[in-house]
Amino acid sequence: MDLDNNTTKKTSQNKSKFLHLLLCIKFLFALPITSCVSEAKKTDLKKNKETSSLQKNDSIKINFIFHTKANAGFNVTDKYHFAYYEGFKNSFDKKDTIQRAVYSPHDKQILYFGNFEKLDGKYVLKKRGFLVSKENPVVNVFYKDRTIQKQNNSKIIDLTNFYDAYAKAVVKKENTTLEIKQKIDATYNALKQKYANNATLSEVNDLFYYSKLSAIQPLEASIESYLLNLKAPISSVLFNTLLVNYVKGNINRFKYNKLTEEYFPEKYIENISIGVFNLLRYEDYKGDKDYVLATNWLKTTDMYKNDSLYIKKEIEPLDNELFISKLKKLSVYTKENDTYSFSEILNKYPNNYYLIDFWATWCAPCIKGVKLMNTMKLPENISIISVSIDKKKDIQKWIQKTNDLNQRSTFWIDVNETKTNDFVKLIEMESIPRYILIDKDGNLIDQAFYHPNEPQFLSKLQDIKNYKYW
């Protein structure tokens, strides 16, 4: 019986768009673009800036040691505990160390790795995981014989014994729910006794237990008690599985008018918000009419308000045909004041994929993003199309700045034109920079792609052929 059937269908997730808080343009359609930052918002931005200065260590450093030519990696989690793949590759047939900083906003996180190993003549999935923390942000591992192992001097904790122990509890598909529950309980109690004097491993044991239990009995009262008393979860595929299973079991049981901090702990509300979001973003549940109440509730949460662009596009994606129609009719202007439709631009610069960068000369984060992309080795099958939304009176400023930035496929649009205005409304472009990823036919791949300073930006572009599995 597969207890992890609600884990990630696409490696992603999260794609945080915190730069939206640092930008400040609001599109007042049929009016000039103006600043949207009120005095209250400026205060919030100041607080966010102060907070961000304390979170510069939101990453872990991974030293991945290969003994020969190979590639491997971990499933890591975004800020919503949604898993995405972080790969490492040694291109040379010799020992080499690949170093990388990986985004990790959590106090504790499990890096997950799975590979098939031959056992009794059959290949079985061998699961491994390493517990890392901000206290020990350096991860030293080596890849040998098709598996990942930690170095002897590494301070990370190898959780292989937990994966093995709980796998044995559910190994037979013919087991009844009661039999599986009994085995899970026995495994939990044995490990609880074994690690009675180790608070960290006891915490890990709780996570494994309730994640497995949620797959067979999501309405079990002890799961709710666990979540109500949880202060700082260990981010992982396991925790995401727990949240999604718990939410799915209760989604039509929740009393949403009372699902607030007035009645429940703040951390519980945050975790339920994440669970609802991660459930609704699965392909099977996007736009599901049975979950309208849950969707409406999610939109009232602080989590949604702080990251609405990203969350909305994950649970309510744009109509692709409508997007293509409006995009291809979009009029763009060159530095020489020639006019083209976007369809003509795609024909003029043929490639498999395009990253559309909406920016303006007065937008500091936009310019920073352009400069970062100029330093990157982007895949050859992706072309960047730069689209300025500067005011008409500032066209000369745009021409000068786009030359300074060495932007190649660079254009300007007039947001006051009807067709342009319709397109801007469709994509709800309330802030810039805004990155939209499409294929050669204009099909929408991502309506709000990562920013260049985010760790997934380059890795996703390098993996663009597999975008359907993100």
Side-chain angles (χ1 to χ4, degrees):
M1 180 177 289
D2 183 5
L3 297 184
D4 295 326
N5 58 348
N6 280 316
T7 52
T8 314
K9 286 187 179 179
K10 60 178 182 179
T11 57
S12 139
Q13 242 276 269
N14 157 180
K15 289 187 178 178
S16 68
K17 293 291 185 287
F18 63 87
L19 274 181
H20 294 151
L21 298 175
L22 302 179
L23 305 172
C24 55
I25 69 163
K26 182 75 175 179
F27 286 81
L28 302 178
F29 303 111
L31 293 174
I33 298 172
T34 58
S35 171
C36 68
V37 183
S38 64
E39 289 305 313
K41 190 68 173 179
K42 287 179 181 177
T43 300
D44 290 339
L45 290 175
K46 183 178 180 181
K47 290 180 180 179
N48 286 331
K49 185 175 181 180
E50 292 170 350
T51 302
S52 66
S53 67
L54 300 175
Q55 297 176 339
K56 290 181 179 179
N57 63 336
D58 280 356
S59 64
I60 53 177
K61 181 180 178 181
I62 298 180
N63 297 315
F64 215 110
I65 304 163
F66 290 94
H67 286 257
T68 186
K69 185 177 181 179
N71 62 80
F74 293 112
N75 273 340
V76 299
T77 50
D78 63 13
K79 66 178 181 179
Y80 298 125
H81 311 293
F82 207 72
Y84 66 93
Y85 182 72
E86 190 69 45
F88 297 78
K89 182 177 182 179
N90 177 20
S91 301
F92 306 99
D93 196 16
K94 62 180 181 179
K95 186 174 181 179
D96 196 11
T97 299
I98 310 299
Q99 297 181 335
R100 186 177 303 158
V102 175
Y103 175 64
S104 179
H106 313 286
D107 290 335
K108 295 177 182 177
Q109 176 178 173
I110 295 176
L111 305 180
Y112 168 78
F113 169 77
N115 71 306
F116 285 92
E117 297 183 2
K118 200 168 186 178
L119 181 64
D120 296 331
K122 296 181 179 180
Y123 283 97
V124 296
L125 179 62
K126 177 73 172 182
K127 297 181 178 182
R128 301 181 68 89
F130 301 97
L131 182 65
V132 299
S133 68
K134 287 186 178 179
E135 294 179 358
N136 300 299
V138 180
V139 178
N140 297 312
V141 295
F142 61 84
Y143 185 74
K144 187 177 182 180
D145 298 328
R146 297 183 61 194
T147 192
I148 298 175
Q149 301 174 8
K150 75 167 188 173
Q151 284 189 307
N152 293 331
N153 62 342
S154 179
K155 294 182 179 180
I156 61 175
I157 302 174
D158 190 337
L159 302 179
T160 302
N161 59 326
F162 282 92
Y163 283 100
D164 288 346
Y166 279 95
K168 291 178 181 178
V170 294
V171 69
K172 294 182 179 180
K173 293 183 178 181
E174 62 269 20
N175 287 153
T176 65
T177 298
L178 178 59
E179 289 172 333
I180 294 175
K181 173 69 163 54
Q182 291 172 340
K183 289 185 177 183
I184 292 174
D185 286 346
T187 300
Y188 175 71
N189 291 327
L191 293 173
K192 184 177 181 180
Q193 182 176 358
K194 181 177 181 179
Y195 298 115
N197 297 320
N198 189 316
T200 297
L201 293 182
S202 293
E203 186 181 359
V204 169
N205 189 33
D206 287 342
L207 173 61
F208 269 82
Y209 175 70
Y210 288 109
S211 177
K212 299 299 181 183
L213 182 60
S214 73
I216 57 173
Q217 293 182 338
L219 300 181
E220 168 67 44
S222 62
I223 297 176
E224 182 167 84
S225 178
Y226 171 73
L227 291 173
L228 283 169
N229 292 285
L230 191 63
K231 303 300 181 183
I234 299 174
S235 186
S236 59
V237 173
L238 290 165
F239 188 62
N240 182 48
T241 299
L242 166 59
L243 289 181
V244 169
N245 286 337
Y246 173 74
V247 164
K248 186 179 179 182
N250 288 279
I251 199 161
N252 290 320
R253 293 169 171 262
F254 287 132
K255 296 180 179 179
Y256 290 104
N257 62 324
K258 291 188 176 182
L259 200 55
T260 67
E261 292 177 18
E262 181 180 354
Y263 298 94
F264 294 96
E266 179 182 356
K267 195 64 182 179
Y268 176 80
I269 296 298
E270 177 185 323
N271 287 331
I272 299 307
S273 301
I274 293 172
V276 170
F277 171 44
N278 285 345
L279 175 67
L280 295 178
R281 74 200 298 191
Y282 285 127
E283 292 295 334
D284 292 347
Y285 305 118
K286 285 184 180 180
D288 195 316
K289 293 181 180 179
D290 291 337
Y291 299 146
V292 171
L293 289 178
T295 303
N296 291 340
W297 172 80
L298 181 64
K299 292 179 179 180
T300 69
T301 63
D302 290 339
M303 185 185 86
Y304 184 89
K305 293 173 184 177
N306 292 333
D307 203 6
S308 60
L309 179 63
Y310 173 59
I311 294 175
K312 184 174 182 179
K313 68 106 174 180
E314 286 290 296
I315 64 177
E316 298 176 347
L318 291 178
D319 182 292
N320 186 58
E321 295 303 318
L322 183 60
F323 171 81
I324 293 174
S325 174
K326 290 188 179 295
L327 173 68
K328 290 190 173 182
K329 293 177 183 177
L330 191 66
S331 294
V332 299
Y333 300 85
T334 67
K335 291 183 287 185
E336 295 75 27
N337 202 33
D338 294 325
T339 308
Y340 294 93
S341 68
F342 210 91
S343 181
E344 291 174 321
I345 294 302
L346 296 181
N347 291 329
K348 186 176 181 179
Y349 298 96
N351 210 335
N352 293 325
Y353 305 98
Y354 300 87
L355 180 68
I356 309 173
D357 174 13
F358 290 95
W359 71 292
T361 58
W362 45 262
C363 170
C366 299
I367 294 172
K368 182 178 179 181
V370 174
K371 291 180 178 179
L372 277 173
M373 286 189 285
N374 285 343
T375 66
M376 296 177 180
K377 187 176 181 180
L378 300 174
E380 293 182 357
N381 61 348
I382 300 175
S383 294
I384 297 175
I385 298 179
S386 304
V387 180
S388 166
I389 52 86
D390 277 285
K391 294 179 181 179
K392 197 169 187 177
K393 67 180 181 66
D394 294 326
I395 286 181
Q396 290 304 314
K397 289 183 179 179
W398 161 63
I399 293 175
Q400 181 61 52
K401 179 58 72 172
T402 197
N403 287 336
D404 292 343
L405 293 172
N406 194 31
Q407 292 172 302
R408 297 178 181 178
S409 305
T410 179
F411 306 93
W412 173 79
I413 58 173
D414 185 350
V415 295
N416 290 318
E417 290 183 355
T418 301
K419 290 181 180 179
T420 304
N421 185 260
D422 288 344
F423 177 77
V424 168
K425 283 183 178 179
L426 175 67
I427 65 173
E428 298 184 1
M429 189 163 64
E430 297 183 351
S431 62
I432 55 171
R434 174 72 175 274
Y435 304 93
I436 295 181
L437 195 57
I438 63 174
D439 69 10
K440 62 182 180 180
D441 297 315
N443 291 302
L444 189 61
I445 295 176
D446 197 315
Q447 67 200 54
F449 192 63
Y450 296 102
H451 290 214
N453 68 312
E454 295 181 279
Q456 298 99 320
F457 178 83
L458 187 56
S459 63
K460 288 297 182 186
L461 292 182
Q462 292 171 336
D463 189 46
I464 195 167
K465 290 182 179 180
N466 298 311
Y467 74 86
K468 291 182 179 180
Y469 305 101
W470 290 353

